[in-house]
Amino acid sequence: VKIFAPNIEQRDVVDHLKGSPTEEKRNVLVESARLARGNIQDLAELKASEFDAVIFPGGFGVAKNLCSWAVDGKNCTVHEHVNSTLQAFHSAKKPIGLCCISPVLAAKVFPGCEVTVGQDKNVDGRFPDAETASAIAELGCKHICKNVNESHVDKDNKIVTTCAFMCKAPLHEIFDGIGTMVQEVLKLA
């Protein structure tokens, strides 16, 4: 297992205590190294031939830094190294795991694929970003409705997705869904 991140400046920096943007500038690779405790490499150095699978975490950082979804929605662009990484694993027929908002990366890169970001309706207020499912469909992909503790496997494309924090759910349910995604990726590897 190795951890990678792009060596780029973050779109913006948020003070999570105050919930507001700051003027500070930070680098995605440096911030990711803090979370990974330093054991990380530049995404540009990733070689699909050296790995059995790839998993992209989710979070708003994906929507702002790995692509421009947070600003441009379905008209977003995907960062070049993210795109080339996804293409390399797909071409090698190696599994790709995506959770939370990151399934939109597959929707942009692989037209016609199947992914989930949870539900396509805001069921009981648990899926406040349900319109993302419609945007995925508008990109020519199939959105599969799943509960937070489930994942979806697109067997043809070897893409496994789960909604994670796209659902307002207890942490243990989110954990279970991410766990099923990882298990399904490993089964395909």
Side-chain angles (χ1 to χ4, degrees):
V1 173
K2 289 195 179 176
I3 302 171
F4 295 85
N7 188 8
I8 58 173
E9 188 173 292
Q10 286 183 203
R11 178 176 294 275
D12 58 21
V13 177
V14 174
D15 177 338
H16 290 280
L17 185 60
K18 296 178 183 172
S20 58
T22 70
E23 296 299 316
E24 191 177 348
K25 300 290 182 203
R26 293 186 189 172
N27 178 282
V28 172
L29 182 59
V30 171
E31 284 300 295
S32 298
R34 181 176 57 81
L35 297 171
R37 308 235 182 227
N39 188 14
I40 194 165
Q41 291 178 269
D42 186 339
L43 184 60
E45 298 172 14
L46 188 150
K47 293 178 180 68
S49 61
E50 297 177 1
F51 297 93
D52 296 322
V54 66
I55 294 178
F56 281 82
F60 212 44
V62 170
K64 295 196 300 188
N65 299 305
L66 302 189
C67 68
S68 62
W69 188 275
V71 176
D72 302 321
K74 68 178 182 177
N75 298 316
C76 75
T77 56
V78 176
H79 181 276
E80 65 178 308
H81 295 306
V82 173
N83 191 326
S84 63
T85 296
L86 289 168
Q87 292 282 2
F89 278 84
H90 189 259
S91 294
K93 299 190 181 341
K94 293 182 177 186
I96 299 168
L98 303 149
C99 66
C100 195
I101 190 65
S102 69
V104 302
L105 298 172
K108 282 298 289 188
V109 176
F110 306 118
C113 72
E114 296 177 357
V115 298
T116 189
V117 289
Q119 300 293 321
D120 57 7
K121 292 178 182 51
N122 190 3
V123 180
D124 298 326
R126 289 172 44 108
F127 293 91
D129 300 303
E131 73 279 355
T132 303
S134 298
I136 287 168
E138 289 173 28
L139 289 170
C141 297
K142 185 172 184 181
H143 180 266
I144 308 297
C145 291
K146 290 287 185 175
N147 291 319
V148 67
N149 60 340
E150 300 175 309
S151 59
H152 175 71
V153 180
D154 176 345
K155 290 182 180 164
D156 292 340
N157 289 295
K158 288 195 166 187
I159 297 171
V160 185
T161 52
T162 190
C163 67
F165 287 94
M166 295 293 282
C167 177
K168 290 186 175 186
L171 288 176
H172 71 277
E173 291 180 19
I174 294 167
F175 176 85
D176 290 346
I178 294 170
T180 66
M181 179 201 65
V182 171
Q183 289 171 359
E184 293 297 333
V185 165
L186 292 175
K187 284 180 193 174
L188 294 172

